Amino acid sequence: ETGVTQTPRHLVMGMTNKKSLKCEQHLGHNAMYWYKQSAKKPLELMFVYNFKEQTENNSVPSRFSPECPNSSHLFLHLHTLQPEDSALYLCASSQVSLGGVYNEQFFGPGTRLTVL
Amino acid sequence: AQKVTQAQTEISVVEKEDVTLDCVYETRDTTYYLFWYKQPPSGELVFLIRRNSFDEQNEISGRYSWNFQKSTSSFNFTITASQVVDSAVYFCALEGGNTGKLIFGQGTTLQVKP
């Protein structure tokens, strides 16, 4: 595997379901991100993890719960979602230098989520 | 407040035409970074360029070129001799300070017809 991979690529779930999105980066990066891309809004940053520590939570509802067990893996746990949460969820990774400079982000193919 | 505006929602050109995608940004940070990403129909965002606020030199990479002008807060992207494979949504993005937080524009959908 190369780059950033995401599974599943497509997910349909009911509002009472619990599911998880998985992201894995094979680039040796130390920062990972979750973004939401919906039809009527620009790409929105949801969470940032730097060296496994969450450094940003962009006012995301608690029904989205991220988990970063190590620098290569990132999960987004979903529960009690609403239909308006239907969107493309993109994961990204980047390298943060010793001086704290964030380099460019590389994105995965995304998970297309539909909430019924 | 930080903001990125891509006023062109959709552009349609015929193959081999040159096309410029506009990007205007707002930030109060003196150090910031500007980006362009390409999103083909497959959905994955492809990194094209990263430019820091202290480097106003224009950049050329093959058929792609970028014009960064701080005086007008613009970071425009030109594709020379467009090809059908250039058809995609193009996003301009801004990172203020050094936070890793990208603010994206609405995107410009480019259609290149044969």
Side-chain angles (χ1 to χ4, degrees):
Chain A
E1 296 276 20
T2 59
V4 180
T5 57
Q6 291 186 242
T7 54
R9 294 294 309 275
H10 300 271
L11 177 62
V12 179
M13 59 186 289
M15 289 190 286
T16 58
N17 291 158
K18 289 185 180 180
K19 297 287 184 182
S20 296
L21 309 185
K22 179 183 175 182
C23 174
E24 185 174 359
Q25 60 95 2
H26 309 268
L27 301 168
H29 290 162
N30 49 25
M32 297 188 76
Y33 312 77
W34 279 116
Y35 287 86
K36 175 183 178 182
Q37 186 178 27
S38 50
K40 298 184 178 180
K41 290 185 176 181
L43 274 152
E44 300 172 83
L45 177 68
M46 300 175 72
F47 301 103
V48 179
Y49 277 84
N50 185 346
F51 290 100
K52 302 185 299 177
E53 298 298 320
Q54 188 181 123
T55 59
E56 178 69 23
N57 177 336
N58 200 22
S59 303
V60 180
S62 59
R63 57 185 184 270
F64 295 92
S65 175
E67 178 190 1
C68 188
N70 54 61
S71 294
S72 298
H73 294 86
L74 184 64
F75 295 89
L76 189 62
H77 303 300
L78 316 170
H79 64 95
T80 324
L81 293 192
Q82 305 297 312
E84 58 264 30
D85 296 322
S86 299
L88 180 68
Y89 288 85
L90 291 158
C91 173
S93 71
S94 74
Q95 184 64 23
V96 182
S97 72
L98 289 176
V101 176
Y102 286 77
N103 291 310
E104 57 271 17
Q105 296 177 27
F106 292 87
F107 285 77
T111 295
R112 176 70 63 186
L113 174 67
T114 302
V115 182
L116 301 176
Chain B
Q2 298 186 42
K3 187 179 178 182
V4 176
T5 302
Q6 294 179 254
Q8 303 150 309
T9 305
E10 293 184 20
I11 300 175
S12 181
V13 299
V14 177
E15 208 170 17
K16 297 185 183 178
E17 285 185 13
D18 298 347
V19 58
T20 295
L21 309 182
D22 297 333
C23 173
V24 174
Y25 62 92
E26 296 175 29
T27 181
R28 292 180 180 175
D29 292 301
T30 53
T31 300
Y32 54 91
Y33 298 87
L34 296 164
F35 302 79
W36 276 96
Y37 282 88
K38 173 183 179 180
Q39 188 176 38
S42 60
E44 180 174 343
L45 269 76
V46 177
F47 168 75
L48 297 178
I49 190 170
R50 173 177 180 260
R51 176 65 85 207
N52 76 53
S53 52
F54 299 107
D55 183 3
E56 282 193 78
Q57 281 193 333
N58 291 334
E59 175 133 354
I60 298 175
S61 177
R63 297 184 296 108
Y64 295 169
S65 62
W66 291 270
N67 183 293
F68 175 26
Q69 292 196 347
K70 290 178 77 170
S71 60
T72 56
S73 297
S74 65
F75 187 45
N76 296 338
F77 173 32
T78 297
I79 301 175
T80 302
S82 60
Q83 300 176 1
V84 173
V85 293
D86 295 327
S87 297
V89 183
Y90 290 85
F91 290 95
C92 180
L94 164 72
E95 176 191 344
N98 191 28
T99 61
K101 295 167 58 176
L102 292 186
I103 307 298
F104 283 85
Q106 293 275 15
T108 297
T109 299
L110 174 64
Q111 183 181 33
V112 181
K113 298 177 181 177

